[in-house]
Amino acid sequence: MAKPYYEFFCPVKVIAGNAALEHIPFELATLGAKKPLIITDKGVRANGLLTPIESAFTEADAKIAAIFDNVPPDSSLQTVRDVAKMYRDNGCDAILAVGGGSVIDTAKATNILVSEGGDDLLKYSGAHNLPKPLKPFFVIPTTSGTGSEVTMIAVVSDTEKNVKLPFASYYLMPHAAILDPRMTQTLPPHLTAMTAMDAMTHAVEAYTCLAAFLKLNGWRGALSRSCTWCCCALATWLVYESILAIRVGVQPRCQWRQNCRPIVASCRP
């Protein structure tokens, strides 16, 4: 049943551009963090995508304390526990997630454990079970898909029970999303196409789904519908333009498609 009201909430700071990575140390400093843990996967590290991030810390007060690069394509509770252990063993005070959906979900779940203490992630599964804000957390995505870097959702597998555990809380939202087009340049063409269609599908879905707005009457209803439709139409066009441009090697469009994901993720009803 459609809700008789409209909500919009996206407190995640978005830092986008060709030098966005160099801004990470400043963002950490504003939150009093100096020893971030990087969470990523072996593919990201093998492609050299951590190099510009590490270079950004060369002259900064903050230093990368440790790197966990063993996140699987389908993250698990054990993986989250392993990452949390590395965080604690190295005295880290912040998390940098560098990768796609599995890495981001792992980082969100890890932030629960290192902030709340213990290794029991199950008791926080479900909606709004976190009592307080978590540790400083930043996301550097290497794909352009659903916009997980600005959402409050994470999904982790319980391999023993063969089920997926959902987590939803405003406290899971990153402090900032760092969108730098350098991070998507080495993505294989088939993954570029797949994530582009992922973003396109969400944009079209949000544009055509009327259920959340049908009961909104008067100028408030008209305004909310217009704003949402405009954002989704813009996102759809940016994805379309970037797909065409990427085929002929025009790099700026990669950033356009990357930037449209937060728009889509924030505007879905």
Side-chain angles (χ1 to χ4, degrees):
M1 183 176 180
K3 295 182 293 185
Y5 60 89
Y6 176 78
E7 285 186 15
F8 179 86
F9 182 73
C10 186
V12 180
K13 183 177 184 179
V14 176
I15 302 166
N18 292 312
L21 296 176
E22 283 69 26
H23 200 66
I24 296 174
F26 171 79
E27 292 298 324
L28 286 169
T30 62
L31 297 176
K34 293 185 176 182
K35 299 180 66 178
L37 166 70
I38 289 181
I39 301 175
T40 188
D41 58 46
K42 294 189 181 299
V44 169
R45 195 169 193 179
N47 281 310
L49 293 180
L50 298 187
T51 300
I53 298 174
E54 293 172 316
S55 298
F57 285 86
T58 302
E59 299 181 1
D61 292 334
K63 301 298 178 184
I64 298 172
I67 299 174
F68 185 96
D69 65 355
N70 200 29
V71 176
D74 187 15
S75 190
S76 66
L77 292 177
Q78 187 56 51
T79 300
V80 174
R81 296 188 187 106
D82 292 342
V83 182
K85 184 178 186 302
M86 177 178 283
Y87 182 102
R88 294 164 181 151
D89 290 347
N90 289 274
C92 301
D93 57 12
I95 293 175
L96 301 180
V98 185
S102 182
V103 168
I104 297 173
D105 282 355
T106 299
K108 289 178 179 178
T110 299
N111 205 10
I112 295 175
L113 291 186
V114 300
S115 299
E116 294 296 325
D119 288 321
D120 185 9
L121 196 60
L122 295 177
K123 65 181 179 181
Y124 302 105
S125 179
H128 305 293
N129 291 323
L130 294 174
K132 64 181 186 296
L134 308 182
K135 301 290 186 182
F137 173 40
F138 300 88
V139 175
I140 304 100
T142 57
T143 62
S144 299
T146 60
S148 180
E149 66 272 14
V150 297
T151 69
M152 64 176 190
I153 307 295
V155 178
V156 177
S157 294
D158 184 339
T159 54
E160 294 181 358
K161 297 180 180 179
N162 198 29
V163 296
K164 289 185 178 292
L165 301 173
F167 299 85
S169 172
Y170 292 131
Y171 295 135
L172 283 179
M173 302 179 87
H175 288 85
I178 316 297
L179 308 182
D180 194 309
R182 288 174 290 179
M183 303 304 288
T184 61
Q185 289 177 357
T186 60
L187 196 66
H190 73 282
L191 289 180
T192 297
M194 289 169 61
T195 55
M197 289 310 301
D198 197 346
M200 174 76 82
T201 301
H202 282 292
V204 173
E205 175 193 26
Y207 185 85
T208 57
C209 179
L210 303 179
F213 308 109
L214 289 179
K215 290 193 174 183
L216 292 175
N217 298 316
W219 68 269
R220 290 184 180 85
L223 180 60
S224 64
R225 283 190 291 270
S226 297
C227 289
T228 300
W229 287 339
C230 286
C231 286
C232 294
L234 172 62
T236 303
W237 177 253
L238 291 180
V239 175
Y240 169 75
E241 280 284 289
S242 67
I243 292 173
L244 294 182
I246 289 172
R247 286 178 61 86
V248 296
V250 180
Q251 180 56 36
R253 295 298 194 273
C254 291
Q255 183 179 336
W256 285 13
R257 181 167 62 87
Q258 194 178 40
N259 293 351
C260 84
R261 294 175 309 157
I263 297 175
V264 174
S266 300
C267 289
R268 277 181 291 172

